[in-house]
């Protein structure tokens, strides 16, 4: 198998994070009682979306990581009677971090928000490509990290559907193979 490889052979590891979110939890309603949602939630306590631990990934490490890509898409509709603002953050953290959104050892890879008038529908979407200049790059290179999304609401009521959440790491598995 290695006979076909060279020092230029790139490998991409892709994880569809969305597949770790139960179908019933991929959409729902954010309202005044549920203003923050954490996805995915893999602690198995039956209270999906309330625990800030994210999804633990243990991927093969890439000796040479060239880039990391994180993609998310959240469709939103303001179902309330007042304007609303929804924010989305994508975080990564070490495996031993049990609260990956507190800024203590974790990284906010990308964040943003949008405003919705009553009845208005819009997507909140990110396609972030990280390289060695990103503070989270070294952690992603190890292949052992937690990833999670934090969705927050300021307003009355917004329905959401998580349509996409994925992580892709592209690099070389073996730095011993000569060019």
């Amino acid at each position: 198998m290695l006979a076909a490889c060279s020092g230029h052979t790139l490998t991409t590891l892709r994880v569809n994070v969305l597949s770790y979110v139960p179908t019933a939890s991929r959409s729902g309603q954010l309202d005044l009682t549920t203003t923050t949602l954490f996805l995915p939630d893999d602690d198995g306590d039956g209270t999906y979306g309330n625990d800030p631990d994210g999804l633990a990934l243990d991927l093969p490490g890439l000796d040479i990581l060239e880039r990391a890509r994180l993609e998310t898409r959240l469709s939103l509709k303001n179902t309330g009677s007042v304007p609303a603002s929804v924010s989305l953050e994508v975080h990564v953290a070490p495996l031993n971090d049990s609260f990956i959104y507190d800024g203590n050892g974790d990284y906010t890879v990308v964040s943003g928000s949008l405003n919705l008038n009553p009845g208005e529908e819009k997507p909140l979407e990110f396609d972030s490509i990280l390289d060695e200049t990103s503070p989270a790059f070294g952690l992603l290179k190890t292949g052992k990290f937690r990833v999670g999304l934090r969705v927050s609401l300021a307003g009355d009521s917004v329905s959401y559907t998580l349509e996409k959440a994925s992580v892709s790491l592209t690099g070389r598995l073996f730095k011993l193979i000569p060019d």
Side-chain angles (χ1 to χ4, degrees), residues 65-70 128-131 137 140 168-170:
L65 181 62
E66 293 197 1
R67 70 182 165 273
R69 183 177 186 183
L70 291 94
S128 301
I129 297 178
L130 309 177
D131 59 20
F137 196 74
L140 296 173
S168 301
L169 305 176
T170 302

Side-chain angles (χ1 to χ4, degrees), residues 91-94 96-108 139:
H91 288 253
V92 295
N96 62 356
D97 192 340
S98 62
F99 186 51
I100 70 170
Y101 306 99
D102 64 0
N104 187 13
D106 59 80
Y107 302 95
T108 304
L139 175 63

Side-chain angles (χ1 to χ4, degrees), residues 83-163:
S85 176
V86 178
S87 64
L88 173 63
E89 301 171 356
V90 180
H91 288 253
V92 295
L95 284 178
N96 62 356
D97 192 340
S98 62
F99 186 51
I100 70 170
Y101 306 99
D102 64 0
N104 187 13
D106 59 80
Y107 302 95
T108 304
V109 177
V110 65
S111 66
S113 64
L114 61 81
N115 297 317
L116 298 164
N117 290 316
E120 188 174 16
E121 294 181 55
K122 287 184 185 176
L124 185 51
E125 187 170 20
F126 300 121
D127 186 353
S128 301
I129 297 178
L130 309 177
D131 59 20
E132 62 274 349
T133 61
S134 169
F137 196 74
L139 175 63
L140 296 173
K141 181 179 178 179
T142 68
K144 294 167 181 30
F145 57 91
R146 291 186 172 277
V147 61
L149 309 173
R150 178 182 189 163
V151 183
S152 301
L153 168 71
D156 185 12
S157 183
V158 170
S159 63
Y160 69 90
T161 301
L162 182 61
E163 296 177 344

